[in-house]
Structure formats: structure tokens, C-alpha cells
Amino acid sequence: ACWKTYVGRPETVGIRLMAMSMLGNGLFLADHHEEALSLREAELAILRRNGASEHNILAVQANLAMTYEELGRGEQASQMERDVYRGRLKLNGEEHEMTLRAAFNYASTLARLKRFAEAKSVMRRTMPVARRVLGDSHDLWLKLRRAYAQTLYHDASATLADVREAVTTLEDTARTAQRVFGRAHPMVVELERSLRGSREALSARGGNG
């Protein structure tokens, strides 16, 4: 209903674009990803045609990347995440939280594609900045550490030292997250699951699990 109310209005009317964005989000959350994709691609085209701000374009591109991911189009998602990350670096600088989140999203997509070397490269550039800017207790810093550790022990070419580093990183991150958020928090549950996986990987390689 929201979209139909404004569909006939000029492309430059902000409320029409807001309606498109709301509908796209609703379709995505309802798992209608093909429909969400069509709408978000149209939204991006309208923004570009009308000289929208880089901030708004990057926001829609980030939504598009998530939609590609849900549709199993990982390579397109990674390309879009790369563009968003580079755009945020240029627009906001490396210390802005939006840039740090874009880096996390890009690296996570690369890791899901098993492009571990690229994922680790992005995270190794990002993590010192994230720790300095956000501090040890911030959820994004903790997510970055977990994601980095996962790339270490999921990589088939990882050394025994890599897997041990993953275990140590996850042990420390899980302790911090439990102290900050409590044992029942979903992040703590996910960290403990990753920690078990890293210990199993270490044991399989002949280390001490």
C-alpha cells in the first residue's frame, strides 16, 4: 500500500524513494528476495540518475549486496561489498564506524566464498583501527575477531600455528563477550560454537584441543 500511494510521483520526490526503501526492506525480511532485488536495483538506478548523495547510494548498495548473498550470488555480493567498502573509505575515512562495518561485511562475504587470503588481508588492515577507535568491548570489534579466527581455522592451507592462534583469539574474545553481554547473549553463544569448532580443528591437526 505504501508503494502504490507514491508510485506515480516524480523520481526526485524523496517520499517515493522512502516508500521504495521500506517496501524493499519488507520484501527482504519476508524472504521475497527476488522481488526485493528488483526493487533495490530500481532504487539504485533512480538515485544515480538524480545525483543522490554518495552516502545514500552506498546504503542502497549495501542492501543490494545482502540481497545478492541471500540469492546465492556470492560473487556479485562480494563485488558490491568491495565497492561499498572502498566508497566508505573515500567518503568517511578508515576510522568511521560505517567504514569498519563495510570492511567486516566485505571480509565476511569473502570468507563465505572461501577466499580466505583476501578476507584475512581486509581484516588485518581493519582490526587495529577498529580496536583503537571502538575499544575492546564493542560488538563490532568482537565480531571482527571472531570472523578473523574463523578464516584461520576454516582455511585448508592453515598451519598449526594459525589454528592455535584461532583458538587463543576465540578464547579471549568469548571471555570478553561473556563479561560484557552475559553468557546467554547470542554473540556469546556463537563465539562458544566457533571456539568448539576451532578446538576440533586443532585436535584434528595433532595439536592440543
Side-chain angles (χ1 to χ4, degrees):
C2 181
W3 168 243
K4 290 179 180 179
T5 302
Y6 302 106
V7 68
R9 299 193 180 188
E11 288 184 351
T12 52
V13 175
I15 200 163
R16 178 184 178 184
L17 291 170
M18 186 184 300
M20 290 183 74
S21 179
M22 290 174 63
L23 179 57
N25 291 340
L27 289 168
F28 182 86
L29 292 172
D31 294 330
H32 298 303
H33 300 303
E34 289 286 358
E35 294 93 332
L37 177 63
S38 296
L39 196 66
R40 285 172 167 174
E41 287 177 335
E43 183 183 4
L44 181 60
I46 290 172
L47 290 174
R48 284 173 167 163
R49 276 198 302 271
N50 289 282
S53 70
E54 187 68 10
H55 171 81
N56 288 343
I57 288 173
L58 290 170
V60 174
Q61 286 180 307
N63 287 337
L64 260 176
M66 288 192 295
T67 311
Y68 286 138
E69 185 82 25
E70 289 295 330
L71 289 169
R73 294 160 66 171
E75 288 296 338
Q76 285 178 283
S78 71
Q79 292 167 14
M80 189 67 75
E81 294 285 12
R82 178 199 60 203
D83 292 345
V84 173
Y85 172 48
R86 290 176 177 174
R88 286 295 175 195
L89 273 173
K90 184 177 180 180
L91 181 66
N92 302 114
E94 69 172 6
E95 294 188 347
H96 197 284
E97 187 171 336
M98 284 188 171
T99 305
L100 298 173
R101 289 194 181 277
F104 170 74
N105 292 337
Y106 178 36
S108 297
T109 300
L110 290 171
R112 283 191 288 272
L113 292 170
K114 301 188 185 304
R115 291 162 58 180
F116 296 116
E118 295 170 78
K120 283 184 279 191
S121 177
V122 173
M123 283 189 276
R124 283 169 176 159
R125 289 197 304 270
T126 304
M127 288 171 68
V129 181
R131 186 176 193 180
R132 183 177 71 249
V133 173
L134 303 174
D136 289 341
S137 300
H138 197 282
D139 71 308
L140 180 55
W141 164 245
L142 298 172
K143 288 177 182 178
L144 275 164
R145 294 196 79 195
R146 175 178 177 248
Y148 175 67
Q150 287 179 311
T151 64
L152 289 175
Y153 78 84
H154 283 157
D155 190 348
S157 66
T159 65
L160 186 58
D162 289 333
V163 182
R164 283 179 172 148
E165 182 185 352
V167 172
T168 301
T169 299
L170 287 165
E171 286 174 341
D172 182 62
T173 307
R175 281 194 298 269
T176 302
Q178 185 173 332
R179 173 176 54 80
V180 174
F181 299 110
R183 191 173 185 84
H185 193 278
M187 182 185 294
V188 177
V189 174
E190 289 298 319
L191 278 162
E192 290 177 344
R193 183 180 296 119
S194 296
L195 179 56
R196 288 194 297 272
S198 68
R199 285 171 172 164
E200 289 169 3
L202 181 60
S203 179
R205 290 169 181 262
N208 296 318

